[in-house]
């Protein structure tokens, strides 16, 4: 559980720093204030997908011991975190290129797609662990029937 707390904290710190980077980088490069760049969503992606999701996983671990499914849990942690990092990195690269007025490449989009695929696989693994960990509800018997 300590690893989840530490990872969540790291994502929170990097998420806040990415918001600062967005603000300062766009200002430094005279990027139009209403202009859109993917840098503007790195902050929220890291805070929600990293910080908040991992805190939620911490609560699920506490309530249902999902890490008891050791192999699935390890696959989830690696796959999901690789997905978050790849996605945030490609958003940063693409957004920085936009601010600098340069063209992005298909390679950047492809790597971002791999990041999203890894996120999806990680979320599916999380739900597989949850389904195995959460006890099934017992059928209630009708009173007086």
């Amino acid at each position: 559980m300590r690893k989840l707390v530490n990872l969540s904290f790291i994502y929170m710190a990097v998420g806040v720093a990415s918001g600062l980077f967005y603000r300062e980088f766009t200002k430094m490069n005279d990027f139009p204030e209403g202009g859109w760049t993917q840098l503007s969503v790195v902050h929220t992606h890291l805070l929600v997908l990293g910080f908040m999701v991992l805190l939620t996983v911490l609560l699920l671990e506490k309530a249902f011991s999902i890490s008891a499914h050791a192999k699935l849990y390890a696959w989830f942690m690696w796959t999901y975190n690789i997905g978050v990092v790849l996605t945030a990195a490609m958003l940063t690269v693409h957004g920085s290129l936009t601010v600098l007025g340069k063209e992005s490449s298909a390679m950047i989009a492809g790597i971002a797609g791999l990041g999203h695929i890894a996120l999806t696989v990680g979320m599916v693994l999380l739900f597989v662990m949850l389904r195995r960990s959460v006890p099934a509800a017992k059928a209630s018997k009708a009173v007086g029937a």
Side-chain angles (χ1 to χ4, degrees), residues 19-140:
L20 177 64
F21 174 75
Y22 161 66
R23 192 177 123 234
E24 294 304 318
F25 189 68
T26 54
K27 202 184 322 180
M28 184 175 68
N29 287 287
D30 296 321
F31 192 72
E33 194 166 311
W36 194 85
T37 172
Q38 287 186 356
L39 278 180
S40 66
V41 296
V42 176
H43 173 76
T44 49
H45 274 72
L46 287 169
L47 290 177
V48 173
L49 294 175
F51 172 57
M52 297 302 293
V53 168
L54 290 184
L55 283 182
T56 303
V57 171
L58 175 67
L59 295 174
L60 293 170
E61 170 61 19
K62 181 73 173 161
F64 303 112
S65 300
I66 60 175
S67 66
H69 307 286
K71 280 188 176 182
L72 279 176
Y73 186 76
W75 274 100
F76 159 71
M77 287 298 287
W78 279 103
T79 306
Y80 186 78
N81 284 292
I82 287 169
V84 172
V85 169
L86 271 178
T87 299
M90 291 304 102
L91 286 170
T92 302
V93 169
H94 185 86
S96 295
L97 289 172
T98 301
V99 170
L100 296 172
K102 299 184 182 205
E103 282 293 316
S104 186
S105 70
M107 180 185 72
I108 292 170
I111 296 171
L114 291 174
H116 283 83
I117 290 168
L119 280 169
T120 302
V121 169
M123 288 181 190
V124 168
L125 289 170
L126 176 62
F127 276 95
V128 169
M129 285 186 300
L130 274 174
R131 289 199 36 101
R132 292 181 181 180
S133 299
V134 175
K138 297 186 178 176
S140 61

Side-chain angles (χ1 to χ4, degrees), residues 140-145:
S140 61
K141 297 185 182 191
V143 177

